Amino acid sequence: MGMGRGAGPSALGFWPTFAFLLCSFPAATSSCKILKCNSEFWSATAGSHAPAPDDAPEFCAALRTYALCTRRTARTCRGDLAYHSAVHGIEDLMSQHNCSKDGPTSQPHLRTLPPPPGDSQERSDSPEICHYEKSFHNRAAAPNYTHCGLFGDPHLRTFTDRFQTCKVQGAWPLIDNNYLNVQVTNTPVLPGSAATATSKLTIIFKNFQECVDQKVYQAEMDELPAAFADGSKNGGDKHGANSLKITEKVSGQHVEIQAKYIGTTIVVRQVGGYLTFAVRMPEEVVNAVEDRDSQGLYLCLRGCPLNQQIDFQAFRAGAEGPGARRLPAASPAPSAPDTFPYETAVAKCKEKLPVEDLYYQACVFDLLTTGDVNFTLAAYYALEDVKMLHSNKDKLHLYERTREPPGRAAAAGPPPAPWPLLGSLLLSPLFPVLLETA
């Protein structure tokens, strides 16, 4: 297809990158309002980092308002890396634009974008490069599609159809290639539990040729937007913008994102209090990474590190054995008052998942560890997404869970600090460079 190397750092744009970093910190809590400060400033300045001379006073006023917002939330954000990165970013911007710390402030206003012309349908004259499948008409073979999904406690199905149950608490990258990044944040299901579920999802679509501008999509518990972070529903102002579109299937519960320029479909759902993720992506895009050896934490490609995997078979043996009404001692979660007995969990999962495959087993596992019946629906919808997205209908059902051999998992080593945290620390001193190259 001649897709090239994708977007380099200079093509990504400063503000979407900055926003992605600030929105990606697992340490940010509901009491720390740094994300609100960042969002208000970004909206007030319309994402501009190089204001015209006539606009400089207004830009400086917005920066002072941003700084004031961070000071007001300083006490609740103490120790939060997202907060400290924002503070340093403000200082750099004020210095670059010669803004004084004293002066008028501005009231932040939300930026709303009208639907682009022709947003309801793809433009017939969009470049062929912006339609992945059409670009294959000169090739002998059609593209080979793969699938990755994450749901429940969480359970991971990789692009190579490995199936694992993992802890992976905090922020972890699911996909990290030349065209998009996907990161999830997993939080404990019960207080003190090692069993986690996805509470936050961030997707960044990188700037690509004449097709799309960089776009960020972010979902959290009880907030499943039907638009990108800037309020738009397509890829921006470029000629092939409608090769990236977001569609709300069920309000607050089901969103689908079509990225035709890379042949990719993403499904995001909210089931109960948690999120599920599923993607269909061509192998060419899956493997489009600058340095494959550095993709050790790209979960959809490599799977979970060994020390993050839960031994599901041992758990199931304990649950089926003597004292099956109680969780085994090695269980990843403490017993909860409303945890289901094994027989009840089996019966409830059978109602939605009659085939005793790994999705059925995942359902039973989740009911035993959480007592939350919504995890039954999470497993059900995960399988429904496989039926829609997987290209090989013979592999819809998996029956043997994958646990990485020690040698392979050791190559990835223990999980380092999540990459957005490390990336932000590395990028903090480079903000002026990013400003000049964006």
Side-chain angles (χ1 to χ4, degrees):
M1 177 180 175
M3 297 183 69
R5 297 177 50 168
S10 63
L12 295 181
F14 173 74
W15 287 119
T17 303
F18 189 38
F20 178 64
L21 289 171
L22 293 185
C23 290
S24 299
F25 291 85
T29 63
S30 57
S31 59
C32 177
K33 304 300 183 184
I34 188 59
L35 299 185
K36 179 176 181 289
C37 296
N38 176 60
S39 177
E40 289 179 349
F41 174 70
W42 190 19
S43 298
T45 59
S48 172
H49 66 271
D54 293 343
D55 296 331
E58 183 179 348
F59 185 79
C60 289
L63 274 174
R64 284 189 287 268
T65 302
Y66 191 11
L68 178 62
C69 184
T70 61
R71 289 196 294 272
R72 286 173 175 168
T73 193
R75 186 177 61 82
T76 57
C77 294
R78 188 170 299 165
D80 189 299
L81 290 178
Y83 166 78
H84 291 291
S85 290
V87 170
H88 288 304
I90 293 168
E91 292 175 354
D92 289 341
L93 288 171
M94 293 190 77
S95 174
Q96 176 140 355
H97 295 285
N98 298 317
C99 299
S100 64
K101 293 185 178 180
D102 298 323
T105 58
S106 63
Q107 290 298 321
H109 58 276
L110 294 179
R111 178 187 178 213
T112 57
L113 298 180
D119 190 50
S120 61
Q121 60 184 5
E122 187 173 1
R123 298 171 186 170
S124 59
D125 61 343
S126 61
E128 187 175 278
I129 191 74
C130 300
H131 198 299
Y132 187 83
E133 291 183 351
K134 286 182 180 178
S135 71
F136 268 80
H137 72 276
N138 291 325
R139 298 195 183 189
N144 185 33
Y145 288 94
T146 58
H147 163 75
C148 176
L150 187 77
F151 68 98
D153 206 355
H155 310 282
L156 172 71
R157 180 170 181 160
T158 71
F159 284 127
T160 54
D161 291 314
R162 288 177 286 159
F163 197 101
Q164 300 167 344
T165 297
C166 311
K167 292 177 284 187
V168 289
Q169 182 172 337
W172 291 76
L174 278 181
I175 299 173
D176 180 12
N177 61 40
N178 293 348
Y179 306 102
L180 82 163
N181 303 108
V182 180
Q183 178 181 278
V184 293
T185 299
N186 301 312
T187 54
V189 175
L190 297 170
S193 170
T196 64
T198 301
S199 58
K200 186 175 183 178
L201 172 75
T202 303
I203 307 172
I204 182 167
F205 296 89
K206 300 180 183 180
N207 185 322
F208 182 69
Q209 298 185 17
E210 64 263 48
C211 303
V212 299
D213 298 319
Q214 179 167 292
K215 292 289 179 176
V216 176
Y217 179 79
Q218 185 170 350
E220 299 186 56
M221 294 170 60
D222 300 320
E223 186 176 351
L224 190 68
F228 295 109
D230 63 2
S232 65
K233 293 192 175 185
N234 75 348
D237 298 325
K238 293 186 176 181
H239 196 46
N242 283 307
S243 61
L244 175 62
K245 297 175 67 175
I246 182 169
T247 304
E248 185 176 60
K249 298 293 187 178
V250 180
S251 179
Q253 298 179 34
H254 180 189
V255 165
E256 183 175 303
I257 303 175
Q258 290 279 352
K260 292 187 177 181
Y261 65 102
I262 51 173
T264 296
T265 301
I266 294 174
V267 175
V268 182
R269 298 179 187 266
Q270 177 163 291
V271 184
Y274 298 98
L275 304 172
T276 70
F277 170 85
V279 62
R280 181 179 189 257
M281 182 180 289
E283 281 188 351
E284 180 184 20
V285 177
V286 168
N287 295 311
V289 294
E290 295 295 336
D291 182 3
R292 193 176 180 88
D293 292 336
S294 70
Q295 303 299 310
L297 291 180
Y298 176 170
L299 299 186
C300 276
L301 187 62
R302 296 290 184 90
C304 298
L306 183 61
N307 63 356
Q308 293 293 313
Q309 296 178 37
I310 294 173
D311 189 344
F312 180 86
Q313 301 297 348
F315 175 88
R316 182 180 180 183
E320 291 177 329
R325 288 179 175 270
R326 296 171 51 200
L327 295 175
S331 168
S335 183
D338 56 352
T339 296
F340 290 101
Y342 179 76
E343 297 81 1
T344 304
V346 166
K348 287 188 174 294
C349 291
K350 274 282 191 180
E351 293 176 5
K352 286 289 187 181
L353 300 156
V355 178
E356 295 189 18
D357 60 0
L358 289 178
Y359 291 88
Y360 160 82
Q361 293 181 33
C363 172
V364 173
F365 175 87
D366 289 353
L367 292 189
L368 292 175
T369 56
T370 70
D372 187 346
V373 72
N374 286 307
F375 282 96
T376 303
L377 290 175
Y380 169 78
Y381 284 124
L383 183 57
E384 290 300 300
D385 290 337
V386 172
K387 293 176 181 178
M388 179 180 72
L389 300 174
H390 205 294
S391 59
N392 188 340
K393 301 308 178 185
D394 294 330
K395 290 187 177 181
L396 299 183
H397 298 282
L398 298 177
Y399 297 92
E400 184 176 351
R401 185 173 297 269
T402 308
R403 185 169 172 83
E404 287 297 326
R408 186 173 202 177
W419 66 268
L421 305 185
L422 179 60
S424 180
L425 294 176
L426 292 174
L427 284 173
S428 293
L430 299 178
F431 280 136
V433 178
L434 288 172
L435 286 168
E436 293 172 3
T437 59

